[in-house]
Amino acid sequence: MRKTNPMRSFSRFILSLFGWHIKGSIPANIRKCVIIAAPHTSNIDFVIGRLAYYVLGVPVKFLIKKESFKGPIGWLLKKMGGIPVDRSRSNNLVDQIAHLFTTADQLNVVITPEGTRKLVKTWKKGYYYIALKANIPIVLGFLDYKRKETGFGPLLYPTGDYEKDFQKIKAFYEDKTARFPEKFNLSPVH
């Protein structure tokens, strides 16, 4: 008899309680990927997304500012898969994360290209270059508050032509509604 995972059951219950549904999945043969988490305009985005990963049984790591790792919450964030990031200085994060993929049998790293919950004019490109360097796909993870859906869209294998690939990414996210729509921007990147 298969043992029930209490975190999976709890997460399913909480998402259901608030009317959220999970759509799509990461194909079973994909053992390494960068997962975009967008739109990202609220702290609640993290909670909904993390619950969905527990429901699906998808092991993930996620990048989060190092300041969040202080005190008991820091222990919890690490336990949940958090990787602290020092945003105050340039530290070659793309190379560091790409290297993690070369040493792991399975690794899914969630990245918010917006880099913050505030309105940004352009997405950070680190997620793209990590996937390109590690030769792995980008999975388009999403939250849609209008439909109360979270989950995964298509895979994108980066070609090295960021502008062209971003047009495909943009097309996927154009109909997704952020918790705070005025803070979500898909304008062309520079």
Side-chain angles (χ1 to χ4, degrees), residues 162-180:
Y162 184 86
E163 299 298 325
K164 182 179 174 186
D165 291 342
F166 186 74
Q167 291 309 310
K168 294 174 186 173
I169 293 168
K170 180 180 176 181
F172 174 76
Y173 287 105
E174 283 181 326
D175 72 341
K176 307 301 182 274
T177 304
R179 181 160 191 226
F180 300 110

Side-chain angles (χ1 to χ4, degrees), residues 44-127:
I44 299 299
D45 301 341
F46 171 79
V47 175
I48 294 166
R50 192 63 188 101
L51 290 170
Y53 290 119
Y54 282 132
V55 169
L56 296 171
V58 175
V60 293
K61 299 281 187 188
F62 53 92
L63 306 181
I64 191 165
K65 62 184 176 181
K66 72 173 185 158
E67 294 81 9
S68 299
F69 287 83
K70 294 180 178 164
I73 194 83
W75 173 87
L76 180 61
L77 287 172
K78 282 183 183 176
K79 181 110 174 108
M80 292 170 56
I83 299 172
V85 174
D86 184 354
R87 299 188 307 177
S88 68
R89 59 187 174 94
S90 177
N91 52 16
N92 219 354
L93 188 62
V94 167
D95 288 336
Q96 290 175 34
I97 302 301
H99 178 71
L100 286 177
F101 283 104
T102 65
T103 61
D105 290 332
Q106 180 177 10
L107 182 61
N108 305 304
V109 176
V110 179
I111 297 176
T112 57
E114 295 155 284
T116 181
R117 295 173 307 278
K118 299 173 190 165
L119 177 65
V120 295
K121 294 189 190 243
T122 60
W123 282 17
K124 295 180 183 292
K125 298 177 185 178
Y127 73 94

Side-chain angles (χ1 to χ4, degrees), residues 129-181:
Y129 290 106
I130 290 168
L132 188 64
K133 280 186 174 225
N135 196 28
I136 57 170
I138 297 167
V139 176
L140 306 184
F142 72 93
L143 288 164
D144 188 335
Y145 280 83
K146 183 178 180 180
R147 296 178 186 98
K148 286 201 166 184
E149 293 177 351
T150 185
F152 307 103
L155 298 179
L156 173 82
Y157 284 89
T159 64
D161 183 342
Y162 184 86
E163 299 298 325
K164 182 179 174 186
D165 291 342
F166 186 74
Q167 291 309 310
K168 294 174 186 173
I169 293 168
K170 180 180 176 181
F172 174 76
Y173 287 105
E174 283 181 326
D175 72 341
K176 307 301 182 274
T177 304
R179 181 160 191 226
F180 300 110

